[in-house]
């Protein structure tokens, strides 16, 4: 048995030394050290040995096992190192090659103009106010002097979640929240998304953006409103820009006006773009209705205010001479790369 163990060790050492793959070493381990391996088969015969031979052969068998395991482990480490070296050589990177260019995002034209408008109003002492897009009917309509069944609601048909909760149709609802929680003087703008059940075309979308403005203080007049809007438009479109106010009706302002901006194409002469008017309608404005002030806990005999609401998409289209609103939402990179 001693001779058999020495032969197994010699054979295993030789095969381990000549093995050229990890798979071959695994097979070699099973062949000699597995449950049905040659060394295990020898050890099963130790019961036939005398009590004097058994410890000698057992000690020799353990030494043979350890030597075989050590030889296989050493060869395994050498093969793995060689394999890793070959893999690294195959995957080497030529650091002299130029890198792949990474495309860098940029601001959307809507966000560019919105940020510019914010800066203009911040420079005039306004602050930015925000509010929920999912709003109560009270704040979206009733607090703005639009009671249930008021005909003006038809032009602001929206998406209802329940009978009392809806997607806001205007950011004017933010003005009500501000007036309920802040005492005059108030100077805020409230930009954000609004929703109306409109069909999609070149000038309409069920989702669009508004920027509403509100000023409440003692002695506020229409002259303050006109001066604020003129400053805004001249900052946006240049010092030669002119505006005009036309009488109109909004339930939440009295008096009210539609605000037109001089046509960028004909400069007031009249052309196809402005339908020979010389001006293009851009926003609505007016003095805050006393009923709205009183409903928010503000004494209308002491304070007055003006409010306006402009569609951000219209401002952007006017700014960049864009003829179709859908271009702003289709995310065509070829279009957006121009800004």
């Amino acid at each position: 048995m001693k001779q058999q163990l020495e032969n197994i060790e010699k054979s295993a050492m030789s095969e381990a030394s000549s093995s050229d793959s990890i798979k071959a070493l695994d097979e070699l381990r099973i062949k000699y050290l597995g449950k049905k391996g040659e060394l295990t088969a020898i050890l099963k015969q130790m019961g036939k040995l005398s009590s004097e031979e058994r410890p000698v052969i057992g000690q020799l068998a353990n030494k043979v096992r350890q030597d075989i395991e050590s030889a296989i482990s050493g060869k395994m480490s050498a093969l793995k190192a060689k394999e890793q070296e070959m893999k690294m050589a195959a995957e080497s990177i030529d650091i002299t090659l130029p890198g792949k260019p990474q495309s860098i995002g940029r601001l959307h034209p809507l966000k560019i103009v919105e940020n510019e408008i914010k800066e203009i109003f911040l420079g005039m002492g306004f602050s930015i106010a925000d509010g929920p897009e999912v709003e109560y009917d009270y704040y979206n309509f009733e607090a703005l002097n639009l009671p249930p069944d008021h005909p003006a609601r038809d032009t602001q048909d929206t998406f209802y979640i329940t009978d009392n909760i809806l997607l806001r149709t205007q950011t004017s609802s933010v003005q009500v929240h501000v007036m309920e929680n802040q005492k005059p003087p108030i100077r805020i703008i409230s930009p954000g998304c609004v929703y109306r059940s409109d069909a999609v075309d070149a000038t309409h979308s069920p989702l669009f953006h508004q920027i509403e403005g509100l000023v409440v203080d003692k002695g506020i007049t229409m002259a303050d409103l006109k001066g604020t809007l003129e400053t805004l438009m001249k900052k946006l479109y240049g010092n030669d820009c002119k505006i005009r106010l036309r009488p109109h009706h909004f339930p939440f302002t009295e008096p009210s006006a539609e605000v037109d901006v001089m046509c960028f194409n004909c400069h007031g002469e009249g052309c196809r773009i402005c339908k020979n008017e010389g001006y293009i309608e851009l926003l609505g404005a007016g003095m805050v209705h006393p009923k709205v002030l009183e409903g928010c806990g503000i004494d209308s005999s002491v304070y007055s205010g003006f409010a306006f609401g402009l569609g951000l998409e219209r401002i952007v289209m006017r700014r960049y001479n864009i003829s179709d609103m859908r271009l702003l939402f289709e995310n065509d990179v070829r279009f957006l790369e121009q800004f």
Side-chain angles (χ1 to χ4, degrees):
M1 188 175 288
K2 179 180 179 182
Q3 185 63 44
Q4 287 177 312
L5 289 171
E6 291 175 348
N7 290 339
I8 289 173
E9 181 178 10
K10 183 178 179 181
S11 177
M13 292 293 191
S14 176
E15 290 183 38
S17 178
S18 61
S19 296
D20 58 357
S21 69
I22 294 175
K23 182 180 179 182
L25 284 173
D26 286 334
E27 292 173 352
L28 181 63
R29 187 191 303 277
I30 295 170
K31 177 182 178 182
Y32 289 103
L33 305 178
K35 291 182 179 181
K36 297 181 180 180
E38 295 183 16
L39 182 59
T40 306
I42 295 295
L43 294 175
K44 287 179 179 179
Q45 301 176 22
M46 288 185 65
K48 301 177 182 179
L49 299 175
S50 65
S51 58
E52 291 83 7
E53 291 178 315
R54 196 174 297 139
V56 176
I57 297 300
Q59 186 176 4
L60 177 60
N62 286 334
K63 179 180 179 301
V64 170
R65 176 182 291 277
Q66 291 174 3
D67 289 345
I68 294 174
E69 287 179 344
S70 179
I72 292 175
S73 178
K75 187 66 175 181
M76 184 75 76
S77 297
L79 288 175
K80 286 184 177 180
K82 184 177 180 181
E83 187 180 84
Q84 182 67 19
E85 184 179 340
M86 293 173 64
K87 185 178 180 181
M88 292 292 290
E91 295 180 354
S92 61
I93 300 173
D94 185 354
I95 62 174
T96 64
L97 290 174
K100 295 181 180 179
Q102 299 294 321
S103 57
I104 300 176
R106 64 187 74 189
L107 291 177
H108 192 278
L110 287 172
K111 182 57 67 173
I112 293 172
V113 177
E114 180 185 327
N115 288 344
E116 188 172 344
I117 292 173
K118 286 180 179 178
E119 288 298 320
I120 292 171
F121 279 106
L122 288 172
M124 289 193 286
F126 284 67
S127 58
I128 311 297
D130 192 16
E133 294 181 20
V134 180
E135 187 59 275
Y136 287 104
D137 180 274
Y138 172 79
Y139 288 100
N140 195 79
F141 289 125
E142 292 187 44
L144 294 168
N145 204 25
L146 285 163
D149 301 323
H150 193 290
R153 287 196 181 205
D154 294 341
T155 61
Q156 295 192 35
D157 189 20
T158 186
F159 304 94
Y160 281 83
I161 298 170
T162 69
D163 290 341
N164 191 41
I165 299 175
L166 47 81
L167 299 183
R168 67 184 182 188
T169 64
Q170 54 197 358
T171 57
S172 301
S173 57
V174 180
Q175 299 178 15
V176 179
H177 285 292
V178 171
M179 285 190 287
E180 283 185 344
N181 294 284
Q182 179 180 335
K183 294 182 179 180
I186 298 171
R187 290 176 178 81
I188 59 108
I189 59 168
S190 54
C193 290
V194 296
Y195 307 84
R196 296 185 187 179
S197 184
D198 291 339
V200 178
D201 59 28
T203 57
H204 295 85
S205 170
L207 179 152
F208 57 101
H209 299 78
Q210 274 191 343
I211 298 179
E212 301 256 351
L214 172 70
V215 172
V216 179
D217 204 346
K218 296 177 180 179
I220 299 298
T221 68
M222 283 289 285
D224 299 304
L225 169 62
K226 186 172 185 291
T228 300
L229 295 178
E230 280 184 337
T231 300
L232 170 65
M233 296 307 168
K234 286 183 178 181
K235 290 285 186 181
L236 285 174
Y237 303 125
N239 291 329
D240 62 337
C241 179
K242 296 180 181 179
I243 67 170
R244 71 177 184 186
L245 277 64
R246 290 181 291 107
H248 194 71
H249 169 71
F250 297 114
F252 35 85
T253 53
E254 179 61 37
S256 306
E258 290 278 13
V259 182
D260 302 332
V261 178
M262 186 176 63
C263 178
F264 62 88
N265 186 62
C266 66
H267 299 284
E269 295 295 327
C271 66
R272 175 183 58 84
I273 294 176
C274 63
K275 300 178 181 179
N276 292 316
E277 288 288 330
Y279 284 79
I280 299 174
E281 178 189 328
L282 209 57
L283 59 103
M287 301 299 293
V288 180
H289 198 290
K291 188 174 181 180
V292 174
L293 292 174
E294 295 289 346
C296 295
I298 297 175
D299 188 346
S300 61
S301 65
V302 177
Y303 295 99
S304 59
F306 67 76
F308 59 87
L310 55 91
L312 182 59
E313 281 78 5
R314 286 189 179 183
I315 297 291
V316 173
M317 292 171 71
R318 165 73 170 79
R319 178 72 175 276
Y320 296 116
N321 298 342
I322 298 171
S323 60
D324 194 323
M325 183 189 294
R326 288 169 290 194
L327 291 170
L328 296 170
F329 299 109
E330 291 174 346
N331 291 326
D332 189 327
V333 175
R334 295 170 299 178
F335 170 77
L336 297 176
E337 281 179 340
Q338 302 174 70
F339 304 96

